[in-house]
Amino acid sequence: MIIQELHRIQHRHRFLPEEELRRLAERTGTPLCRLQEVASFFPHFKLAAPPAVEVHVCHDMACHQHGCTGLERAVRSALAGEIAAGQVSVRFVSCLGRCDRPVAAVVNDAFLAARTGDQIVAIARDALGGRPPVPDADSGYEPRSNRPWRIDPYGGAGTYDAIRGFAAAPDRQRLINELKAADLRGMGGAGVPAHQKWNDVWKAKGEEKYVICNADESEPGTFKDRELLTRHPHLVLEGVILAGLLTGATRGWIYIRHEYAEQIAIMNAEIRRAESLGACGPRIAGTAMSFPVEVFTSPGGYICGEQSALVEAMEDHRAQPRNKPPQLETNGLHDRPTLVSNVETFAWAPVIALRGGQWYADTGTAGCKGSRLFSISGDVARPGVYELANGTPLRTLIHELCGGTPRPLKAFAPSGPSGGFLPAMLPTAALPRGWEKRAPTDLVEQVATGGGTHLDILDLPLDLQRFRDLGLAIGAGLVVYDESRDMVAEAVNCSQFFRDESCGKCVPCRLGSHKIVEMGEELLSGGLDGPRLEDRRTLVDELTRAMEMTSICGLGMVVGKPFQSALEFFPEDVRRHVAGGGR
C-alpha cells in the first residue's frame, strides 16, 4: 500500500524526500504525480524538510477552553531566537485526542498532555540538543472513569471466549438476531443498527469481503475509542474477528489515527497475542476458519473519520468522501462488500455474543436500550470516559460522576463541534413541533412544572433516539462550558476547526466554511453593528441550508451549527461584541 510506504519513508527522514518518492514510484510502477497528489492531501506528510524541532499545540474545544492560545504565544515568545534561526517551528494543529488532559501538544511526534509552556520549551530545547522527547503514555495515568465497565466480560483478561463459542457452533443468523435484540447502534455518530450492516455484508455477493474498524477518532471532545484501544484492545479485536467470521470476510483492518502511536503498538501486540491463542489468523480455534487482521495507520485528517473517505485512503487515494449509492456494504474497499464500524460498536459485540442481546438491551434505563461510553471534557472536575446506561440524565454524568462545574453551567456541546451548543435552559420554542408527543413523559412534566417555556438540559436523557426526538444531535464527545465562557469565541473556534478540516471536494463546504469563519471573526473583532449583524445572521442561515443540501458527507452539513447556535442561544455574548452594543 502506497500510504503505508509513505509512512515508512517519513519515519526514516521526518519528511518525504523527492529522491525517495522517485524510488517508490519506480518500485511500485506508480506515476510520481500520483504519489505527490496523495502525499500533499494529508496533513501528516511533509514534502519539504522541516526544522529540527516542531512544536504543535492543539487548538480545539477543551484545549481552547484551557488556554492553548496563551500557551502557544508563550512558547513562541520563549523560542523566538530559535524560530528566527530556522531551528524550530511552532504552530496550532487540530484535535490530538487528549481532551481529558488539556492542553495537548506534540514535540517532534512525541505527544504531551497537560504540560506548561515552560515544560514544552524545555523539551523543545532538549530536542535541539540531541535528546529526543519522551511521549506521555496514555496507559501510564490513572483515568477518570466509573470502571469496571460492563462492556468487558473478561475483566481485562481477553480470553476470546466469544470467538471460541462461535467457531464451535457458527450460527450466523443467531448472532444477527442477538445484535438485533440488543438494538446495538453504530457508535460513530450515524447510529445505524449494527445487525443491519453485518447482515447486509453477509448477504452481499462476492468471494472477497472485508471488515474495517474505524479508529480514526478525530472529533474534538472525543477520546473514548482511545481508551478502548489502550485498556481493552482485546474487545475491539474480538469484535472485528466475530464480524469477519459472521460475514464471511477474508481480511480485517483496524484503521487507527497516526496520532495514537501508543495505541497502534498496543493493538499490534494484541493481534500477535490473539494469533498465539488461535483466535486470529489461520485455523481459528482449531477449525478451518481463517481471518487475518492488521493495523492500518491513518495519514491524518478529520475527514478520514467519514467511512467512505477512510476507504479512499486505504485505496491510496485522497481521502475524499464518495457519492452514494452504492453503499460500502456492497461496494466498499476495492469495490468489494465491506463492513465499516466504530471501535465501540465492535467492542460491544463479544459481550452480546456471550450474554445475549436482551442482556445488553436491559442495561438501559428510562425506557432506553443498552449502554455506551461517553467522553466528557471541558469545565468539569473529572473529565474522562464513562460507561452509562442509555437514558441516564445528563445531570448524573456532570454532577455525580464528573464532580460538577467550577461555576454555574452555561452551555453544553452534545456532539463535539458537530451538534452546536445548547444553553443551560433550552427554549422549547427551539424544539420541533410536536416534541411533547415524542419526549419521555417525565421530561414533559418537568418542562411544564418549570413554566413550559424552557427545558433544563441537565434533565436530558443521554440517548441517541431521545435526542433525535427533540431535534437534537448527540455523539460520544460531550464538552461542558461554565458561565465564564464567551460562546461567540467558542463558536468561532469550532468554525475554524471545520474550515481547516474540510477536504475541499464540495464547493459549498469549501467556500462556506471559510465564509462562516470570516463572519465569526468579524463579529469577535467588533466589526459589526446591529443591522450588519442581522445581514450576517441571514447569510449564515442561507449558507448552512446550502451546505446541508449539497454536501456529500456530514462535515458540510454541520459546519454552520456552532455559529448558528451561538447567535440563537447566547444573545448576551453576541451583544458584547456588536459595535454600539447591538439592539
Side-chain angles (χ1 to χ4, degrees), residues 208 226 257 381 461:
E208 287 277 329
R226 184 203 75 203
R257 63 181 300 189

Side-chain angles (χ1 to χ4, degrees), residues 290-534:
S290 171
F291 191 70
V293 180
E294 63 183 280
V295 170
F296 186 99
T297 301
S298 169
Y302 171 70
I303 196 63
C304 291
E306 199 280 334
Q307 59 179 7
S308 68
L310 177 155
V311 167
E312 287 291 302
M314 291 186 67
E315 291 183 352
D316 295 321
H317 302 144
R318 289 183 160 217
Q320 294 180 314
R322 297 178 177 178
N323 288 302
K324 304 177 187 66
Q327 301 296 328
L328 298 183
E329 287 78 20
T330 56
N331 301 81
L333 182 65
H334 305 309
D335 208 32
R336 305 291 201 279
T338 304
L339 171 63
V340 182
S341 285
N342 175 258
V343 168
E344 187 185 350
T345 312
F346 283 118
W348 279 108
V351 72
I352 291 172
L354 291 171
R355 297 181 181 173
Q358 194 59 50
W359 172 87
Y360 172 78
D362 289 344
T363 65
T365 189
C368 301
K369 293 182 179 180
S371 299
R372 66 174 300 180
L373 303 180
F374 289 99
S375 318
I376 182 165
S377 59
D379 292 324
V380 289
R382 293 192 294 274
V385 179
Y386 295 85
E387 183 189 272
L388 295 177
N390 286 327
T392 301
L394 178 60
R395 184 186 314 277
T396 300
L397 175 58
I398 290 180
H399 288 289
E400 295 182 21
L401 294 175
C402 295
T405 57
R407 287 165 289 272
L409 177 67
K410 181 174 185 175
F412 168 64
S415 185
S418 302
F421 305 107
L422 302 179
M425 299 300 294
L426 179 65
T428 54
L431 299 178
R433 182 176 299 178
W435 69 270
E436 305 96 326
K437 298 176 183 178
R438 297 184 295 273
T441 303
D442 58 345
L443 188 63
V444 175
E445 291 175 351
Q446 287 164 342
V447 171
T449 302
T453 60
H454 288 79
L455 185 160
D456 186 339
I457 63 168
L458 291 173
D459 294 327
L460 285 172
L462 294 171
D463 177 74
L464 177 68
Q465 192 56 52
R466 292 284 191 259
F467 265 64
R468 287 180 172 176
D469 289 344
L470 296 173
L472 306 174
I474 187 170
L478 315 180
V479 186
V480 178
Y481 299 82
D482 69 24
E483 65 178 8
S484 69
R485 304 300 176 184
D486 178 347
M487 298 315 298
V488 173
E490 301 301 337
V492 172
N493 172 253
C494 291
S495 301
Q496 291 167 340
F497 169 79
F498 285 129
R499 175 201 61 192
D500 296 344
E501 294 298 328
S502 172
C503 76
K505 183 174 184 177
C506 305
V507 175
C509 176
R510 183 172 71 238
L511 299 181
S513 59
H514 275 270
K515 189 63 180 176
I516 285 175
V517 170
E518 287 178 5
M519 289 187 288
E521 291 177 343
E522 189 178 21
L523 175 59
L524 270 183
S525 67
L528 296 178
D529 57 18
R532 293 179 68 204
L533 173 63
E534 292 309 310

Side-chain angles (χ1 to χ4, degrees), residues 534-572:
E534 292 309 310
D535 289 341
R536 300 299 189 272
R537 192 189 302 267
T538 300
L539 183 54
V540 169
D541 291 342
E542 290 175 349
L543 280 171
T544 299
R545 283 195 297 272
M547 288 186 284
E548 288 174 345
M549 294 172 63
T550 59
S551 295
I552 294 174
C553 81
L555 187 153
M557 299 177 188
V558 299
V559 167
K561 298 293 185 186
F563 196 39
Q564 266 191 321
S565 61
L567 293 173
E568 180 177 5
F569 296 131
F570 304 96
E572 291 300 320

